[in-house]
Amino acid sequence: MEKILGDSARKIFVTGGAGFIGSHVVDLLVAQGYQVCAYDNLSNGRREFIAPHLGKPNFKFVEADILDMDLLLEKIKGHDLVWHLAANTDIIGGAANPRRDLNDCAGGTFNVMEAMRISGIKRLLFSSTGAVYGELCHDTPVSESAGPLLPVSAYAAGKIGSEAFISAFCHLYGMQAWIFRFGNVVGGRMTHGVIYDFIHKLKANPSGLLIKGDGRQEKNYFLVEECIDGMAWAFRNISMEGDKPCDIFNLGTTTISKVLDIAAMIKEEMGLPGAEIRIEGTKRAWPGDQPRVHITVERMRKLGWEARHTSDEAVRIAARRLLKLEQAGTASNQNG
Ligand code: NAD
C-alpha cells in the first residue's frame, strides 16, 4: 500500500494529535512507519484516543499548549512536516469567549509558523473550514475564490486569521502550505456535532428528539479517513513552488445532508422509529451558527481526488461507528 505522505516526509509533528481527526492521523502515520509526535493540550482531545500508540518506538506524545512557545520550539525541532489541527473547536462557546479563538486558533497558528521558521521546517498541512465563507455559502455552493470573507463566528475569524499568517509566512520565508477548508468531518470518535448530539439526546429521551433551528439546515458531511486521504493526496500530488507557495482547497463531498434526514437515519440506527421529531427555534440555532453550508469541491475533483461516500452515506456510517464504540465503552477503535 502506498504510504500516505510518500517518502519525502518522515518525521511528522501533529498538533491536536489527541483530538478526533488528529488521533486518526496518528493511527495511520504510526501504522505506516512514520516518526510521529502528537502535541496536544488535551483541552478537547483524549488520552484514550492515542493510548494504543503510547510506548511505540515511532510515537511520542507531548501534553502541551501551542501557546507555550518555548516548549513548542523545543518539541517541533527536527520534524520535516507539520500537520496542524490544534484549535478551539467549541464553535458555540465562541460567542461567549471570542478571545479563545483569537488565542488558540490565530495566535496558536502564528506560534506554529514562527516555530517552524526558527527551526527550519518548511512544510505545513492546515485544517481550515467552510465556515470562513459566512453567509456566502447559505444558498449557493462556493468555491475557494469566493469573497469577501465575512465570518459570522469567532471560530471562522480565527481560521481566516490563521490562513492569512500561513500565507504571509510562506511568501516571506520560503515555506509551503496546503490549506484545506473542510465540510463537516464525521466518524466514530466525534466529541461534538449534530450526529453526536442527536444520539445523546435520544439516549437521554428515546421518545422524542428536539431539533434546534428551523429544520432547514443542510451541510456537507464526509468521513474522517476521507478527509485525511484528501489532505495527504494533495500533499503528494500538488506541488507548492515559485509564486504559489501555498494554496487553498475545499474538501468534502459533492452532496449535502438535510437535518431532518440525519434525524431519521439516527432514529433508524438506534431502533427508535416512534421517536417524535420536534423543531424549535429560528434560522440560527445559536449566535454564530451557519445553518446551511454549501461548498463546491470541484477544484479537488478536477485535480484528481474525490470522496468515495456521499454525505448521507457518511452520516450513516459515522452514526453506526459512534453507536458501536459507545456500546463497547471504548473510543480507541481503529476504524473510529
Ligand atoms: P478536536 O477538538 O477533536 O481536535 C482539536 C485538538 O486540538 C483537541 O485535541 C484539543 O485538545 C487540541 N487543542 C486545542 N487547543 C490547543 C492548544 N492551544 N494547544 C494544543 N492543543 C490544542 O476537533 P477535530 O474535529 O479533530 O478538529 C481538528 C481540526 O480540524 C481543528 O482545527 C478544526 O477546526 C478543524 N476542522 C474540523 C472540522 C470537523 O468537522 N471536525 C471541520 C472543519 C475544520
PDB file of all heavy atoms in Angstrom, residues 65-90:
ATOM      1  N   ASP A  65       0.678  23.004  25.286  1.00  0.00           N
ATOM      2  CA  ASP A  65      -0.114  24.002  24.574  1.00  0.00           C
ATOM      3  C   ASP A  65       0.714  24.640  23.449  1.00  0.00           C
ATOM      4  O   ASP A  65       1.896  24.923  23.662  1.00  0.00           O
ATOM      5  CB  ASP A  65      -0.519  25.078  25.602  1.00  0.00           C
ATOM      6  CG  ASP A  65      -1.765  25.809  25.186  1.00  0.00           C
ATOM      7  OD1 ASP A  65      -1.748  26.435  24.112  1.00  0.00           O
ATOM      8  OD2 ASP A  65      -2.756  25.748  25.934  1.00  0.00           O
ATOM      9  N   ILE A  66       0.091  24.887  22.305  1.00  0.00           N
ATOM     10  CA  ILE A  66       0.830  25.570  21.236  1.00  0.00           C
ATOM     11  C   ILE A  66       1.094  27.039  21.601  1.00  0.00           C
ATOM     12  O   ILE A  66       1.875  27.710  20.942  1.00  0.00           O
ATOM     13  CB  ILE A  66       0.136  25.469  19.846  1.00  0.00           C
ATOM     14  CG1 ILE A  66      -1.331  25.883  19.910  1.00  0.00           C
ATOM     15  CG2 ILE A  66       0.291  24.083  19.245  1.00  0.00           C
ATOM     16  CD1 ILE A  66      -2.023  25.948  18.548  1.00  0.00           C
ATOM     17  N   LEU A  67       0.434  27.511  22.657  1.00  0.00           N
ATOM     18  CA  LEU A  67       0.710  28.879  23.098  1.00  0.00           C
ATOM     19  C   LEU A  67       1.970  28.946  23.955  1.00  0.00           C
ATOM     20  O   LEU A  67       2.471  30.031  24.242  1.00  0.00           O
ATOM     21  CB  LEU A  67      -0.498  29.437  23.864  1.00  0.00           C
ATOM     22  CG  LEU A  67      -1.769  29.544  23.007  1.00  0.00           C
ATOM     23  CD1 LEU A  67      -2.946  30.048  23.825  1.00  0.00           C
ATOM     24  CD2 LEU A  67      -1.546  30.462  21.805  1.00  0.00           C
ATOM     25  N   ASP A  68       2.488  27.792  24.375  1.00  0.00           N
ATOM     26  CA  ASP A  68       3.746  27.727  25.124  1.00  0.00           C
ATOM     27  C   ASP A  68       4.888  27.687  24.100  1.00  0.00           C
ATOM     28  O   ASP A  68       5.349  26.625  23.689  1.00  0.00           O
ATOM     29  CB  ASP A  68       3.750  26.476  26.009  1.00  0.00           C
ATOM     30  CG  ASP A  68       5.002  26.383  26.863  1.00  0.00           C
ATOM     31  OD1 ASP A  68       6.003  27.049  26.539  1.00  0.00           O
ATOM     32  OD2 ASP A  68       4.982  25.621  27.841  1.00  0.00           O
ATOM     33  N   MET A  69       5.327  28.875  23.695  1.00  0.00           N
ATOM     34  CA  MET A  69       6.270  28.991  22.567  1.00  0.00           C
ATOM     35  C   MET A  69       7.596  28.275  22.839  1.00  0.00           C
ATOM     36  O   MET A  69       8.144  27.631  21.940  1.00  0.00           O
ATOM     37  CB  MET A  69       6.510  30.479  22.271  1.00  0.00           C
ATOM     38  CG  MET A  69       7.285  30.730  21.021  1.00  0.00           C
ATOM     39  SD  MET A  69       6.440  30.073  19.542  1.00  0.00           S
ATOM     40  CE  MET A  69       7.703  30.312  18.320  1.00  0.00           C
ATOM     41  N   ASP A  70       8.109  28.385  24.058  1.00  0.00           N
ATOM     42  CA  ASP A  70       9.417  27.762  24.353  1.00  0.00           C
ATOM     43  C   ASP A  70       9.350  26.251  24.180  1.00  0.00           C
ATOM     44  O   ASP A  70      10.214  25.638  23.552  1.00  0.00           O
ATOM     45  CB  ASP A  70       9.860  28.092  25.791  1.00  0.00           C
ATOM     46  CG  ASP A  70      10.201  29.568  25.925  1.00  0.00           C
ATOM     47  OD1 ASP A  70      10.447  30.200  24.867  1.00  0.00           O
ATOM     48  OD2 ASP A  70      10.185  30.090  27.053  1.00  0.00           O
ATOM     49  N   LEU A  71       8.284  25.653  24.743  1.00  0.00           N
ATOM     50  CA  LEU A  71       8.157  24.195  24.660  1.00  0.00           C
ATOM     51  C   LEU A  71       7.858  23.760  23.217  1.00  0.00           C
ATOM     52  O   LEU A  71       8.405  22.765  22.718  1.00  0.00           O
ATOM     53  CB  LEU A  71       7.037  23.721  25.592  1.00  0.00           C
ATOM     54  CG  LEU A  71       7.049  22.229  25.888  1.00  0.00           C
ATOM     55  CD1 LEU A  71       8.323  21.846  26.631  1.00  0.00           C
ATOM     56  CD2 LEU A  71       5.836  21.831  26.725  1.00  0.00           C
ATOM     57  N   LEU A  72       7.014  24.546  22.553  1.00  0.00           N
ATOM     58  CA  LEU A  72       6.673  24.221  21.160  1.00  0.00           C
ATOM     59  C   LEU A  72       7.943  24.187  20.307  1.00  0.00           C
ATOM     60  O   LEU A  72       8.181  23.247  19.539  1.00  0.00           O
ATOM     61  CB  LEU A  72       5.682  25.260  20.615  1.00  0.00           C
ATOM     62  CG  LEU A  72       5.254  25.096  19.158  1.00  0.00           C
ATOM     63  CD1 LEU A  72       4.473  23.803  18.944  1.00  0.00           C
ATOM     64  CD2 LEU A  72       4.398  26.294  18.715  1.00  0.00           C
ATOM     65  N   LEU A  73       8.776  25.192  20.506  1.00  0.00           N
ATOM     66  CA  LEU A  73      10.031  25.298  19.754  1.00  0.00           C
ATOM     67  C   LEU A  73      10.933  24.097  20.040  1.00  0.00           C
ATOM     68  O   LEU A  73      11.510  23.497  19.120  1.00  0.00           O
ATOM     69  CB  LEU A  73      10.723  26.601  20.161  1.00  0.00           C
ATOM     70  CG  LEU A  73      11.735  27.208  19.213  1.00  0.00           C
ATOM     71  CD1 LEU A  73      11.218  27.266  17.787  1.00  0.00           C
ATOM     72  CD2 LEU A  73      12.084  28.617  19.701  1.00  0.00           C
ATOM     73  N   GLU A  74      10.992  23.738  21.304  1.00  0.00           N
ATOM     74  CA  GLU A  74      11.851  22.599  21.694  1.00  0.00           C
ATOM     75  C   GLU A  74      11.350  21.297  21.052  1.00  0.00           C
ATOM     76  O   GLU A  74      12.132  20.512  20.526  1.00  0.00           O
ATOM     77  CB  GLU A  74      11.827  22.479  23.227  1.00  0.00           C
ATOM     78  CG  GLU A  74      12.677  21.346  23.772  1.00  0.00           C
ATOM     79  CD  GLU A  74      12.375  21.115  25.249  1.00  0.00           C
ATOM     80  OE1 GLU A  74      12.143  22.097  25.995  1.00  0.00           O
ATOM     81  OE2 GLU A  74      12.347  19.916  25.646  1.00  0.00           O
ATOM     82  N   LYS A  75      10.034  21.092  21.055  1.00  0.00           N
ATOM     83  CA  LYS A  75       9.477  19.810  20.601  1.00  0.00           C
ATOM     84  C   LYS A  75       9.337  19.716  19.082  1.00  0.00           C
ATOM     85  O   LYS A  75       9.314  18.624  18.526  1.00  0.00           O
ATOM     86  CB  LYS A  75       8.098  19.572  21.241  1.00  0.00           C
ATOM     87  CG  LYS A  75       8.131  19.501  22.766  1.00  0.00           C
ATOM     88  CD  LYS A  75       8.967  18.340  23.249  1.00  0.00           C
ATOM     89  CE  LYS A  75       9.069  18.315  24.766  1.00  0.00           C
ATOM     90  NZ  LYS A  75      10.009  17.298  25.260  1.00  0.00           N
ATOM     91  N   ILE A  76       9.190  20.854  18.404  1.00  0.00           N
ATOM     92  CA  ILE A  76       8.939  20.814  16.955  1.00  0.00           C
ATOM     93  C   ILE A  76      10.245  20.558  16.172  1.00  0.00           C
ATOM     94  O   ILE A  76      10.208  20.071  15.038  1.00  0.00           O
ATOM     95  CB  ILE A  76       8.272  22.138  16.499  1.00  0.00           C
ATOM     96  CG1 ILE A  76       7.369  21.903  15.271  1.00  0.00           C
ATOM     97  CG2 ILE A  76       9.297  23.215  16.171  1.00  0.00           C
ATOM     98  CD1 ILE A  76       6.479  23.100  14.931  1.00  0.00           C
ATOM     99  N   LYS A  77      11.363  20.891  16.794  1.00  0.00           N
ATOM    100  CA  LYS A  77      12.676  20.777  16.116  1.00  0.00           C
ATOM    101  C   LYS A  77      12.905  19.388  15.551  1.00  0.00           C
ATOM    102  O   LYS A  77      12.556  18.393  16.193  1.00  0.00           O
ATOM    103  CB  LYS A  77      13.794  21.105  17.101  1.00  0.00           C
ATOM    104  CG  LYS A  77      14.027  22.573  17.208  1.00  0.00           C
ATOM    105  CD  LYS A  77      15.307  22.917  17.943  1.00  0.00           C
ATOM    106  CE  LYS A  77      15.396  24.439  17.984  1.00  0.00           C
ATOM    107  NZ  LYS A  77      15.680  24.966  19.276  1.00  0.00           N
ATOM    108  N   GLY A  78      13.464  19.309  14.372  1.00  0.00           N
ATOM    109  CA  GLY A  78      13.850  18.007  13.805  1.00  0.00           C
ATOM    110  C   GLY A  78      12.756  17.352  12.975  1.00  0.00           C
ATOM    111  O   GLY A  78      12.985  16.313  12.371  1.00  0.00           O
ATOM    112  N   HIS A  79      11.558  17.955  12.944  1.00  0.00           N
ATOM    113  CA  HIS A  79      10.487  17.370  12.114  1.00  0.00           C
ATOM    114  C   HIS A  79      10.578  17.919  10.690  1.00  0.00           C
ATOM    115  O   HIS A  79      11.142  18.987  10.474  1.00  0.00           O
ATOM    116  CB  HIS A  79       9.124  17.657  12.740  1.00  0.00           C
ATOM    117  CG  HIS A  79       8.916  16.905  14.022  1.00  0.00           C
ATOM    118  ND1 HIS A  79       9.344  17.387  15.237  1.00  0.00           N
ATOM    119  CD2 HIS A  79       8.385  15.685  14.266  1.00  0.00           C
ATOM    120  CE1 HIS A  79       9.066  16.501  16.187  1.00  0.00           C
ATOM    121  NE2 HIS A  79       8.487  15.455  15.624  1.00  0.00           N
ATOM    122  N   ASP A  80      10.004  17.179   9.730  1.00  0.00           N
ATOM    123  CA  ASP A  80      10.062  17.728   8.370  1.00  0.00           C
ATOM    124  C   ASP A  80       8.696  18.071   7.788  1.00  0.00           C
ATOM    125  O   ASP A  80       8.609  18.544   6.658  1.00  0.00           O
ATOM    126  CB  ASP A  80      10.894  16.860   7.411  1.00  0.00           C
ATOM    127  CG  ASP A  80      10.602  15.394   7.516  1.00  0.00           C
ATOM    128  OD1 ASP A  80       9.453  15.048   7.813  1.00  0.00           O
ATOM    129  OD2 ASP A  80      11.536  14.600   7.295  1.00  0.00           O
ATOM    130  N   LEU A  81       7.634  17.849   8.555  1.00  0.00           N
ATOM    131  CA  LEU A  81       6.303  18.283   8.123  1.00  0.00           C
ATOM    132  C   LEU A  81       5.447  18.517   9.362  1.00  0.00           C
ATOM    133  O   LEU A  81       5.500  17.734  10.312  1.00  0.00           O
ATOM    134  CB  LEU A  81       5.650  17.194   7.251  1.00  0.00           C
ATOM    135  CG  LEU A  81       4.185  17.437   6.846  1.00  0.00           C
ATOM    136  CD1 LEU A  81       4.065  18.602   5.868  1.00  0.00           C
ATOM    137  CD2 LEU A  81       3.573  16.185   6.206  1.00  0.00           C
ATOM    138  N   VAL A  82       4.657  19.590   9.345  1.00  0.00           N
ATOM    139  CA  VAL A  82       3.726  19.843  10.449  1.00  0.00           C
ATOM    140  C   VAL A  82       2.309  19.672   9.931  1.00  0.00           C
ATOM    141  O   VAL A  82       1.927  20.260   8.914  1.00  0.00           O
ATOM    142  CB  VAL A  82       3.931  21.258  11.045  1.00  0.00           C
ATOM    143  CG1 VAL A  82       2.886  21.534  12.121  1.00  0.00           C
ATOM    144  CG2 VAL A  82       5.335  21.388  11.619  1.00  0.00           C
ATOM    145  N   TRP A  83       1.523  18.838  10.643  1.00  0.00           N
ATOM    146  CA  TRP A  83       0.111  18.622  10.309  1.00  0.00           C
ATOM    147  C   TRP A  83      -0.655  19.345  11.419  1.00  0.00           C
ATOM    148  O   TRP A  83      -0.799  18.822  12.518  1.00  0.00           O
ATOM    149  CB  TRP A  83      -0.188  17.113  10.302  1.00  0.00           C
ATOM    150  CG  TRP A  83      -1.431  16.727   9.556  1.00  0.00           C
ATOM    151  CD1 TRP A  83      -2.633  17.336   9.600  1.00  0.00           C
ATOM    152  CD2 TRP A  83      -1.578  15.618   8.648  1.00  0.00           C
ATOM    153  NE1 TRP A  83      -3.517  16.688   8.788  1.00  0.00           N
ATOM    154  CE2 TRP A  83      -2.899  15.625   8.191  1.00  0.00           C
ATOM    155  CE3 TRP A  83      -0.711  14.612   8.191  1.00  0.00           C
ATOM    156  CZ2 TRP A  83      -3.399  14.676   7.302  1.00  0.00           C
ATOM    157  CZ3 TRP A  83      -1.213  13.666   7.315  1.00  0.00           C
ATOM    158  CH2 TRP A  83      -2.546  13.700   6.866  1.00  0.00           C
ATOM    159  N   HIS A  84      -1.087  20.572  11.115  1.00  0.00           N
ATOM    160  CA  HIS A  84      -1.591  21.464  12.172  1.00  0.00           C
ATOM    161  C   HIS A  84      -3.120  21.391  12.297  1.00  0.00           C
ATOM    162  O   HIS A  84      -3.850  21.941  11.472  1.00  0.00           O
ATOM    163  CB  HIS A  84      -1.123  22.891  11.851  1.00  0.00           C
ATOM    164  CG  HIS A  84      -1.599  23.924  12.817  1.00  0.00           C
ATOM    165  ND1 HIS A  84      -1.763  23.703  14.171  1.00  0.00           N
ATOM    166  CD2 HIS A  84      -1.943  25.237  12.625  1.00  0.00           C
ATOM    167  CE1 HIS A  84      -2.200  24.808  14.749  1.00  0.00           C
ATOM    168  NE2 HIS A  84      -2.325  25.740  13.838  1.00  0.00           N
ATOM    169  N   LEU A  85      -3.563  20.738  13.377  1.00  0.00           N
ATOM    170  CA  LEU A  85      -5.001  20.531  13.607  1.00  0.00           C
ATOM    171  C   LEU A  85      -5.483  21.173  14.902  1.00  0.00           C
ATOM    172  O   LEU A  85      -6.692  21.257  15.145  1.00  0.00           O
ATOM    173  CB  LEU A  85      -5.302  19.021  13.665  1.00  0.00           C
ATOM    174  CG  LEU A  85      -5.038  18.223  12.383  1.00  0.00           C
ATOM    175  CD1 LEU A  85      -4.885  16.742  12.690  1.00  0.00           C
ATOM    176  CD2 LEU A  85      -6.156  18.439  11.373  1.00  0.00           C
ATOM    177  N   ALA A  86      -4.557  21.584  15.771  1.00  0.00           N
ATOM    178  CA  ALA A  86      -4.974  22.132  17.069  1.00  0.00           C
ATOM    179  C   ALA A  86      -5.752  23.430  16.878  1.00  0.00           C
ATOM    180  O   ALA A  86      -5.351  24.304  16.111  1.00  0.00           O
ATOM    181  CB  ALA A  86      -3.749  22.386  17.949  1.00  0.00           C
ATOM    182  N   ALA A  87      -6.877  23.530  17.545  1.00  0.00           N
ATOM    183  CA  ALA A  87      -7.691  24.753  17.528  1.00  0.00           C
ATOM    184  C   ALA A  87      -8.801  24.570  18.555  1.00  0.00           C
ATOM    185  O   ALA A  87      -9.120  23.425  18.923  1.00  0.00           O
ATOM    186  CB  ALA A  87      -8.316  24.986  16.151  1.00  0.00           C
ATOM    187  N   ASN A  88      -9.387  25.679  18.973  1.00  0.00           N
ATOM    188  CA  ASN A  88     -10.599  25.571  19.764  1.00  0.00           C
ATOM    189  C   ASN A  88     -11.722  25.154  18.818  1.00  0.00           C
ATOM    190  O   ASN A  88     -11.986  25.846  17.840  1.00  0.00           O
ATOM    191  CB  ASN A  88     -10.922  26.921  20.403  1.00  0.00           C
ATOM    192  CG  ASN A  88     -12.303  26.932  21.010  1.00  0.00           C
ATOM    193  OD1 ASN A  88     -12.730  25.923  21.589  1.00  0.00           O
ATOM    194  ND2 ASN A  88     -13.002  28.046  20.885  1.00  0.00           N
ATOM    195  N   THR A  89     -12.385  24.045  19.099  1.00  0.00           N
ATOM    196  CA  THR A  89     -13.447  23.599  18.186  1.00  0.00           C
ATOM    197  C   THR A  89     -14.836  23.760  18.813  1.00  0.00           C
ATOM    198  O   THR A  89     -15.823  23.254  18.280  1.00  0.00           O
ATOM    199  CB  THR A  89     -13.222  22.131  17.748  1.00  0.00           C
ATOM    200  OG1 THR A  89     -13.084  21.326  18.924  1.00  0.00           O
ATOM    201  CG2 THR A  89     -11.987  22.007  16.881  1.00  0.00           C
ATOM    202  N   ASP A  90     -14.879  24.470  19.940  1.00  0.00           N
ATOM    203  CA  ASP A  90     -16.181  24.761  20.561  1.00  0.00           C
ATOM    204  C   ASP A  90     -16.747  26.010  19.880  1.00  0.00           C
ATOM    205  O   ASP A  90     -16.587  27.135  20.373  1.00  0.00           O
ATOM    206  CB  ASP A  90     -15.985  24.982  22.069  1.00  0.00           C
ATOM    207  CG  ASP A  90     -17.286  25.394  22.753  1.00  0.00           C
ATOM    208  OD1 ASP A  90     -18.357  25.305  22.108  1.00  0.00           O
ATOM    209  OD2 ASP A  90     -17.224  25.810  23.929  1.00  0.00           O
TER     210      ASP A  90
END
